[in-house]
Amino acid sequence: FSKIGSGKMVIHPCAYQLTSLISDCYQMVIFKVQGKKLEFHIANDPQIPDYLYGDETRIRQIITNLLTNAVKYTFTGDITLELDYEKENSECILLKISVKDTGIGIREENIPDLFQSYKRLHEYDNPAIEGSGLGLSIVKHTVELMDGKVEVASVYGKGSIFTVTIPHV
């Protein structure tokens, strides 16, 4: 986070295999998902190119942060990691990564505060939930460094969907 704050975070694009990256992310969260007796789904468009060019480390960090938050704030139901894309031009695609959960959701008036550093929205309602309040801030800054965007849709008490869109060649 200190690299982001000082403007020293650098994006290191390289060729990577999307299926391998998704498998890594799955392995990082599946034990927490199973420990909470949640269902976990992965849905992806089979037409997404498997070999992409981007910052694999940062994309893994983004997906892991979103999945970890989903697990943290979901007590029953399921979490879905969905991957899709749209062709931007003959050389570039927009990779869309969505994490959907049936968790506690976010009040509409709190959505603008989600990406503030050290801000935890449900800290007083759920003191047992651990975290520093940096995960979503890191996601937003990292995505923006890659010329992408983050969107949030949520219904309080029913769940949330976080969607990240990142250009790739």
Side-chain angles (χ1 to χ4, degrees):
F1 187 73
S2 61
K3 281 186 178 184
I4 292 171
S6 67
K8 295 186 180 186
M9 179 184 256
V10 179
I11 300 301
H12 298 287
C14 63
Y16 71 95
Q17 185 178 19
L18 184 62
T19 52
S20 177
L21 182 138
I22 297 308
S23 177
D24 291 349
C25 294
Y26 171 85
Q27 294 299 325
M28 286 186 224
V29 298
I30 192 60
F31 293 112
K32 290 180 182 182
V33 169
Q34 291 171 337
K36 292 181 82 172
K37 296 182 173 44
L38 301 170
E39 290 187 40
F40 186 70
H41 310 280
I42 298 176
N44 68 301
D45 182 334
Q47 300 301 314
I48 297 174
D50 194 32
Y51 290 92
L52 296 171
Y53 191 79
D55 191 329
E56 178 182 15
T57 301
R58 302 289 180 224
I59 294 166
R60 181 180 291 107
Q61 180 182 35
I62 289 164
I63 294 171
T64 303
N65 278 351
L66 293 176
L67 287 172
T68 301
N69 265 9
V71 172
K72 193 184 300 186
Y73 293 103
T74 303
F75 302 105
T76 61
D78 60 291
I79 295 166
T80 301
L81 170 61
E82 185 174 338
L83 295 119
D84 199 356
Y85 79 106
E86 74 184 51
K87 233 176 173 151
E88 189 167 63
N89 58 46
S90 63
E91 297 174 8
C92 184
I93 68 166
L94 295 175
L95 179 64
K96 293 183 178 187
I97 303 161
S98 295
V99 174
K100 179 181 179 182
D101 64 60
T102 56
I104 60 178
I106 305 153
R107 289 184 177 95
E108 190 173 333
E109 65 268 17
N110 290 334
I111 289 176
D113 296 332
L114 273 177
F115 300 102
Q116 290 183 21
S117 301
Y118 304 106
K119 180 98 174 181
R120 290 186 50 221
L121 297 180
H122 301 285
E123 188 170 10
Y124 300 105
D125 300 337
N126 299 290
I129 296 176
E130 295 181 8
S132 63
L134 286 175
L136 289 177
S137 178
I138 290 170
V139 165
K140 184 173 178 21
H141 289 296
T142 306
V143 168
E144 288 174 351
L145 235 114
M146 293 189 280
D147 297 321
K149 65 179 181 177
V150 181
E151 297 173 296
V152 181
S154 188
V155 176
Y156 186 69
K158 297 197 180 217
S160 303
I161 303 171
F162 286 80
T163 303
V164 170
T165 305
I166 305 169
H168 273 69
V169 290

